[in-house]
Amino acid sequence: MMKKTITAAVAGLAVLAAPAAAFASDTAATSGTKQLHLRKGLTLTIPKSWKVYEQDKDWLRVVTGPCPTVGTDMFGFRDSGCHSFWVMGPKAIKVGHELFNAYTPDGAFYPATDVGPCPYDKKLYIGHMTLAAKGLRQIGPGHKAYYRKWAGTCVTTTTFKVKGHYNQREWYLPTSKILVIDQWDDPRLSGILKNATWS
């Protein structure tokens, strides 16, 4: 069954593209890192080169590499080619499954009403997603997240022939109402989350 992406009518998609400087104000000059302060006292130490954007309340995007959609009206959860991960809060989690139902770890984060573009190629659609891994993962001391890795396909827009694959990794903290979503398999992110701090 084809997965569907969120429509532009939903808050947090292509809304704001201004850097959220307040979320990354502390820096560690000697290590080339900065602090990203999130909800409930969660702090991630990320590379200084990463840029943080608050799309809307509870839709925070951390751009980790090339991102051709920054500054355009396509910059949002349904764009293609933007190397990044998302940190979602309660409002995003509340609409995180197909047909805007509340997110749970039993399905990939995918609020939907229509077919959306492949994360790495806007000429392809997102196809089927299959659970590839699950378990608990540490996010800083004393906090374990529900971890899911969803193997997704990218298909042609006419015949739906599979042309490529990607992974969508998710770390969900239900008590803190925090959901981290990575569609780019960034090798640094797991360690950053494991070494997070809480205040």
Side-chain angles (χ1 to χ4, degrees), residues 10-69:
V10 173
L13 292 191
V15 184
L16 302 173
F23 290 94
S25 58
D26 299 336
T27 59
T30 56
S31 64
T33 60
K34 61 188 175 186
Q35 303 298 305
L36 175 59
H37 301 289
L38 302 166
R39 57 179 284 104
K40 299 294 185 179
L42 175 61
T43 299
L44 307 182
T45 301
I46 62 174
K48 277 186 185 177
S49 61
W50 290 4
K51 293 183 171 56
V52 181
Y53 297 86
E54 185 175 18
Q55 292 294 109
D56 197 6
K57 183 169 175 55
D58 295 333
W59 296 75
L60 188 77
R61 190 176 206 176
V62 181
V63 174
T64 60
C67 186
T69 58

Side-chain angles (χ1 to χ4, degrees), residues 6-15 56 78 100 113:
I6 191 165
T7 60
V10 173
L13 292 191
V15 184
D56 197 6
R78 64 178 299 145
F100 310 119
T113 60

Side-chain angles (χ1 to χ4, degrees), residues 12-198:
L13 292 191
V15 184
L16 302 173
F23 290 94
S25 58
D26 299 336
T27 59
T30 56
S31 64
T33 60
K34 61 188 175 186
Q35 303 298 305
L36 175 59
H37 301 289
L38 302 166
R39 57 179 284 104
K40 299 294 185 179
L42 175 61
T43 299
L44 307 182
T45 301
I46 62 174
K48 277 186 185 177
S49 61
W50 290 4
K51 293 183 171 56
V52 181
Y53 297 86
E54 185 175 18
Q55 292 294 109
D56 197 6
K57 183 169 175 55
D58 295 333
W59 296 75
L60 188 77
R61 190 176 206 176
V62 181
V63 174
T64 60
C67 186
T69 58
V70 168
T72 73
D73 60 358
M74 290 304 298
F75 184 70
F77 191 74
R78 64 178 299 145
D79 67 4
S80 292
C82 184
H83 294 247
S84 60
F85 66 90
W86 291 84
V87 182
M88 305 299 198
K91 285 188 176 181
I93 292 167
K94 189 176 180 180
V95 296
H97 274 321
E98 204 162 355
L99 303 176
F100 310 119
N101 292 312
Y103 172 85
T104 64
D106 63 345
F109 182 88
Y110 212 104
T113 60
D114 62 348
V115 178
C118 172
Y120 65 83
D121 187 344
K122 65 183 178 183
K123 295 178 183 175
L124 299 174
Y125 284 156
I126 288 178
H128 187 70
M129 297 180 83
T130 305
L131 183 62
K134 67 184 253 184
L136 297 175
R137 296 290 188 273
Q138 199 73 35
I139 298 189
H143 292 77
K144 291 204 175 189
Y146 290 101
Y147 173 76
R148 300 292 185 265
K149 180 178 181 180
W150 298 93
T153 59
C154 291
V155 300
T156 61
T157 59
T158 53
T159 63
F160 303 109
K161 182 177 179 181
V162 175
K163 288 292 188 176
H165 298 84
Y166 72 99
N167 292 312
Q168 180 166 307
R169 299 183 300 164
E170 302 174 353
W171 293 260
Y172 179 47
L173 294 157
T175 302
S176 303
K177 292 186 170 35
I178 296 170
L179 173 63
V180 178
I181 304 166
D182 172 30
Q183 295 177 319
W184 289 91
D185 269 337
D186 192 299
R188 301 162 288 186
L189 186 54
S190 293
I192 287 169
L193 293 172
K194 184 177 181 180
N195 294 309
T197 59
W198 296 83

